[in-house]
Amino acid sequence: AGLVGALTDNGIGVAGAAWRVRIMPLKMGWASTFSAFGEVQMDFAARAIRYATRMGATVINCSWASANTDGIDAAVGAAVRAGVTVVCAAGNNSPSHYLADREDVLSVAATDSTDVIASFSNRGAYIDLAAPGVGISSTWSAQFQPAYAVALNGTSFSAPLVAGVAALIQSRLVPPYASRLLTPRGVQLRLMESADDISAQNPSLAGQYGAGRLNAYRALTQTSGPTA
């Protein structure tokens, strides 16, 4: 939530990518003795996606691994058909997961501060885009008290940066798109077309990290590109 929408120009904490966005937090997982990061259940995830779609969400961020079970396929398909842009973390040191493999979902890998693909980040032909995911600062919850965290690593932190810029694109469209909202595919293409080329920093990873590294300014200001 902090990476997507933390308030700016207030001298406190961090700044979100889309600082006037409205956040809809939906719980679909829980703490677990088997994982330090908790667990997500696919039928709960499907219900959350259906609820978000029904309530008018325009972007859904999925910083969790997934499998094609318990209605997740139908829920995501319905969301995209309703105009929702779905963004997911590519994953860390793990096999690719279901949402990351879907063509209608933006799969996001992680880069470090030098635009090198992070050593832990999944990579492959299914990746659409990369975004910072090493040494990240954001809002945090410490024993249910508001706080901040630094040095966060993972594609789970890359994905919400992309989701935030997707929200900016939809809220501040520039010519020739000002007269209409882009479709989810249009948003996806615009983010990819405006990404920075990081091939020089990753010579051995051609075709494995998507279109490049997220560039919010270019995504908002370019006046040519996809119209899907």
Side-chain angles (χ1 to χ4, degrees), residues 120-131:
F120 58 76
S121 177
N122 282 3
R123 65 282 303 269
Y126 61 92
I127 304 294
D128 297 304
L129 194 64

Side-chain angles (χ1 to χ4, degrees), residues 18-96:
W19 54 96
R20 291 185 178 179
V21 75
R22 290 184 294 174
I23 300 288
M24 183 190 298
L26 299 176
K27 183 177 180 179
M28 55 187 196
W30 54 89
S32 169
T33 57
F34 301 102
S35 170
F37 301 102
E39 296 183 50
V40 172
Q41 190 165 310
M42 290 301 101
D43 56 344
F44 288 7
R47 289 170 60 187
I49 291 170
R50 290 197 299 270
Y51 178 84
T53 303
R54 189 166 65 249
M55 297 302 292
T58 58
V59 182
I60 294 176
N61 181 73
C62 304
S63 287
W64 35 273
S66 59
N68 187 10
T69 60
D70 298 315
I72 194 75
D73 174 73
V76 173
V80 173
R81 288 192 298 273
V84 181
T85 298
V86 181
V87 181
C88 80
N92 309 322
N93 296 319
S94 62
S96 63

Side-chain angles (χ1 to χ4, degrees), residues 2-3 13-14 135-142 145-153 157:
L3 293 172
V14 297
I136 302 298
S137 299
S138 187
T139 51
W140 201 252
S141 175
Q145 297 299 315
Y148 297 94
V150 298
L152 299 168
N153 299 322
F157 305 107

Side-chain angles (χ1 to χ4, degrees), residues 136-175:
I136 302 298
S137 299
S138 187
T139 51
W140 201 252
S141 175
Q143 298 298 319
F144 303 103
Q145 297 299 315
Y148 297 94
V150 298
L152 299 168
N153 299 322
T155 59
S156 285
F157 305 107
S158 307
L161 291 174
V162 174
V165 178
L168 281 180
I169 291 172
Q170 293 186 350
S171 67
R172 186 176 178 268
L173 292 175
V174 295

